Amino acid sequence: MKILDVCCGSRMFWYDKEEPHTTYMDIRKAVYTAMDRGNERKIEINPDIQADWKNIPFDDCTFDLVVFDPPHLIRAGKTSWFAKKYGTLDLMGWPNEFRKAFQEIMRVLKPTGTMIFKWNEDQIAIKEVFKAFGQQPILGDMKSKTKWSVFIKND
């Protein structure tokens, strides 16, 4: 089993942050500090591979599973804790970026591959993201504000 976390950030939802089947990728590599509710906080983003999700540096059909938990904020102070922790999206450019990311993810997935997608609808509705992808998931959480969806690679 080969897994790619395409924008791992600080690996927040991983139980094992060094899961041996997984390659952790992110465009950022940094240690950030910021004030959060009166406390200084530190976050470390240290991917195995530093790369952009629009140009994934792996061959076609490499991974069984890709995890995609992209930034979901278009409105956040550039120096805020949320912006540093999660990253931000360009207000006008995010649909095109997501279309390219989805194409790249599908390219590196094996023919039987699966993508797990995590999204928070605080600022952008998930239906808009699916429109940018050009594909609907096969299943997912439709009730909470933070949604998990599963996509399979189309033939």
Side-chain angles (χ1 to χ4, degrees):
M1 168 71 86
K2 289 187 67 145
I3 303 168
L4 175 64
D5 184 340
V6 80
C7 46
C8 67
S10 64
R11 309 178 192 188
M12 286 180 283
F13 60 73
W14 287 90
Y15 292 111
D16 179 354
K17 295 185 187 311
E18 300 296 330
E19 200 289 316
H21 302 91
T22 304
T23 300
Y24 299 94
M25 183 180 113
D26 204 290
I27 197 167
R28 303 177 296 164
K29 184 173 183 124
V31 176
Y32 298 112
T33 58
M35 294 304 288
D36 178 36
R37 293 173 271 193
N39 296 311
E40 185 174 273
R41 306 246 186 215
K42 177 178 146 183
I43 187 165
E44 183 176 358
I45 299 164
N46 189 23
D48 300 323
I49 301 213
Q50 191 173 0
D52 189 334
W53 63 31
K54 296 181 306 295
N55 188 21
I56 300 173
F58 293 100
D59 292 334
D60 296 359
C61 305
T62 299
F63 295 95
D64 302 286
L65 174 66
V66 173
V67 177
F68 189 31
D69 177 15
H72 59 270
L73 300 172
I74 53 175
R75 292 180 305 278
K78 295 298 177 195
T79 61
S80 73
W81 174 242
F82 276 112
K84 289 179 179 183
K85 187 173 183 179
Y86 300 112
T88 58
L89 297 171
D90 176 60
L91 176 62
M92 302 307 288
W94 75 264
N96 190 44
E97 288 223 352
F98 276 31
R99 184 173 9 273
K100 290 176 182 176
F102 189 79
Q103 290 168 349
E104 274 293 280
I105 289 167
M106 290 298 138
R107 180 186 65 75
V108 300
L109 276 173
K110 292 179 180 176
T112 57
T114 303
M115 178 181 84
I116 296 176
F117 176 67
K118 179 179 168 271
W119 187 252
N120 182 288
E121 285 195 300
D122 187 58
Q123 297 183 6
I124 301 171
I126 199 163
K127 67 180 181 178
E128 296 301 315
V129 176
F130 295 162
K131 189 185 309 179
F133 286 170
Q135 183 175 326
Q136 292 291 314
I138 60 167
L139 61 95
D141 173 14
M142 294 187 268
K143 295 191 188 253
S144 67
K145 192 176 187 179
T146 298
K147 299 186 180 315
W148 292 84
S149 302
V150 176
F151 291 80
I152 57 173
K153 183 173 183 171
N154 286 337
D155 291 334

